[in-house]
Amino acid sequence: MTTPTPTSGVHGCDIRLETRPPAPRTRPGSGTVIDLHCHYLNREVETTVAAIARPAPPPLSAPAAQSAAYNAELIRSAYAPKLSDIEVRLADMDAMGVDIQALSPSPTQYYYWLDLEQSRAIVRAQNERIAEVCARYPDRLVGLGTVALQHPQLAAEQVHHAVVELGLRGFEISSHVEGVSIADARFAPFWQQVEQLNVMVLLHPLGTTIGPRLDTHYLSNLVGQPAETAIALSHLIMDGHFDRYPTLKLCAVHGGGYLPLYMGRSDHAYAMRPECSCCANRPSDYLRRIWFDTVVYDSEHLRRLIDVVGIDRVVLGTDYPFDMGDYDPHGLIEAVAGLSAADRAAILGGNARDLLALPARQGVKETKTS
């Protein structure tokens, strides 16, 4: 990935996006490389929403305020062009060896607090922009939209419009809606519609509800984000969500957080406690009905995830362009022990192609190197 000019941050640290130096790599087979976890920021929508009054949140603690200020500096100095400038994005994709990105909104643009009419206008603007950008680069970009989950019936209508009228391939949602679990029955219209249209849902948390113990050391992200994903998946599994929606296509970012590698505890509780046995099968059985991205940074962790969920349930993700992303996807996957060329091709793009229901030739290039 292209390295931004280092900028002094609020802690006196340089702002960099790389986690390991990228290197040109030969792609296994002839498959297209698809990044299923990357983000786009709609600046016009950001400006519009900033002018809408909202109750002031509680004041941040000093450590949390320090992290928030650092993030603001990152957005200003490093993220800004990468989030919204498509030409910059395409150059970075080439540097990473990525053929197609599945654009999803920046998680900061969920806006689950807007009223009904505000939500109708804002979500339409977001989804139409992503569809427009993808239409300009159909061989490099596909779109994942957003919905106003706080208004479930409207959310269902937004799903239909985005898929049928705009051609989007799925939707990104958070782990909760203003504190309400996404497994709650009130959100049934949304889940029914995405299952009916056979489009994917990308589960991506924004922050954490765990509390101020995670304010220091950016633990709200380092620990909070994976924990939020684990909590949301546990709600969905144990509430019988996948029994109600047996063909649902759900992908969890950050490798599913902490849940996939500690599922034995959930299975034990399922056998021992009545309040943990509301799903038809053992909780671990549902892991092979969920997809997981590769943003786990460590090849041994990824190897274990593959062993638990299956090679066909793992998809490439970079979390572009945020600093918690991993921008050498080929290097990470090549470092995983025991993968065949077919396994690597499946993770790099084959599984995501199936999940997104892409045409067979979309994104395929003549060159096989990056």
Side-chain angles (χ1 to χ4, degrees):
M1 179 178 150
T2 305
T3 304
T5 303
T7 306
S8 179
V10 297
H11 301 306
C13 302
D14 285 346
I15 295 172
R16 302 181 187 275
L17 298 187
E18 285 69 23
T19 56
R20 69 173 74 85
R25 299 179 183 276
T26 300
R27 301 180 188 174
S30 59
T32 301
V33 177
I34 303 172
D35 180 1
L36 202 60
H37 179 182
C38 48
H39 302 292
Y40 175 82
L41 183 74
N42 188 314
R43 297 194 176 282
E44 291 80 2
V45 161
E46 189 91 337
T47 300
T48 299
V49 173
I52 299 174
R54 182 187 185 187
L60 296 176
S61 67
Q66 193 175 36
S67 289
Y70 188 71
N71 285 340
E73 171 65 8
L74 278 173
I75 289 178
R76 184 195 66 78
S77 62
Y79 297 162
K82 297 173 180 292
L83 277 166
S84 301
D85 187 321
I86 301 303
E87 295 304 325
V88 171
R89 180 181 297 268
L90 293 175
D92 285 347
M93 289 168 61
D94 290 341
M96 291 185 288
V98 170
D99 295 318
I100 294 176
Q101 280 190 348
L103 291 188
S104 57
S106 170
T108 58
Q109 296 197 298
Y110 286 138
Y111 306 131
Y112 290 155
W113 51 274
L114 292 172
D115 70 25
L116 184 68
E117 292 309 313
Q118 291 166 344
S119 296
R120 191 186 306 278
I122 292 299
V123 167
R124 189 180 187 98
Q126 289 176 286
N127 290 345
E128 287 182 347
R129 171 63 61 79
I130 286 179
E132 174 192 347
V133 169
C134 293
R136 294 206 308 267
Y137 302 93
D139 291 330
R140 305 301 305 274
L141 304 172
V142 297
L144 302 179
T146 188
V147 294
L149 270 181
Q150 71 273 35
H151 307 294
Q153 191 55 51
L154 174 61
E157 296 168 11
Q158 290 166 336
V159 167
H160 187 273
H161 175 259
V163 174
V164 175
E165 302 297 330
L166 301 180
L168 298 188
R169 298 280 172 173
F171 299 88
E172 179 189 45
I173 66 170
S174 189
S175 54
H176 64 90
V177 181
E178 300 291 278
V180 179
S181 168
I182 55 173
D184 191 276
R186 74 188 70 180
F187 302 123
F190 165 76
W191 293 111
Q192 291 165 359
Q193 187 68 280
V194 292
E195 186 185 44
Q196 180 180 339
L197 293 175
N198 194 34
V199 291
M200 67 164 290
V201 175
L202 185 70
L203 171 58
H204 191 304
L206 173 63
T208 178
T209 59
I210 293 175
R213 291 177 61 215
L214 298 186
D215 282 358
T216 61
H217 311 298
Y218 202 37
L219 295 181
S220 59
N221 186 299
L222 307 188
V223 174
Q225 295 275 67
E228 281 292 325
T229 303
I231 292 167
L233 289 177
S234 295
H235 281 170
L236 292 170
I237 290 170
M238 290 190 169
D239 284 353
H241 193 78
F242 296 99
D243 300 321
R244 292 189 294 277
Y245 306 105
T247 63
L248 177 66
K249 299 196 298 189
L250 180 77
C251 179
V253 300
H254 311 136
Y258 302 120
L259 190 66
L261 304 194
Y262 197 29
M263 206 63 185
R265 188 171 179 87
S266 297
D267 283 351
H268 180 80
Y270 177 78
M272 300 301 294
R273 298 192 61 89
E275 69 266 48
C276 298
S277 58
C278 297
C279 44
N281 303 295
R282 294 183 310 161
S284 62
D285 293 337
Y286 295 92
L287 291 180
R288 290 179 179 263
R289 293 171 54 178
I290 303 168
W291 285 261
F292 303 87
D293 80 2
T294 59
V295 185
V296 298
Y297 315 103
D298 178 77
S299 61
E300 293 184 5
H301 184 142
L302 185 55
R303 174 71 263 179
R304 174 61 176 152
L305 179 65
I306 292 167
D307 291 341
V308 170
V309 306
I311 194 74
D312 62 327
R313 293 286 154 165
V314 179
V315 296
L316 175 66
T318 64
D319 204 357
Y320 179 89
F322 295 110
D323 62 349
M324 291 303 294
D326 190 330
Y327 302 120
D328 182 19
H330 291 270
L332 175 63
I333 293 167
E334 287 177 9
V336 177
L339 295 183
S340 67
D343 291 338
R344 291 193 295 271
I347 296 172
L348 285 169
N351 295 337
R353 180 179 292 282
D354 293 342
L355 188 54
L356 292 163
L358 294 181
R361 297 295 297 172
Q362 184 166 348
V364 173
K365 291 181 172 182
E366 293 301 320
T367 181
K368 301 299 184 294
T369 61
S370 59

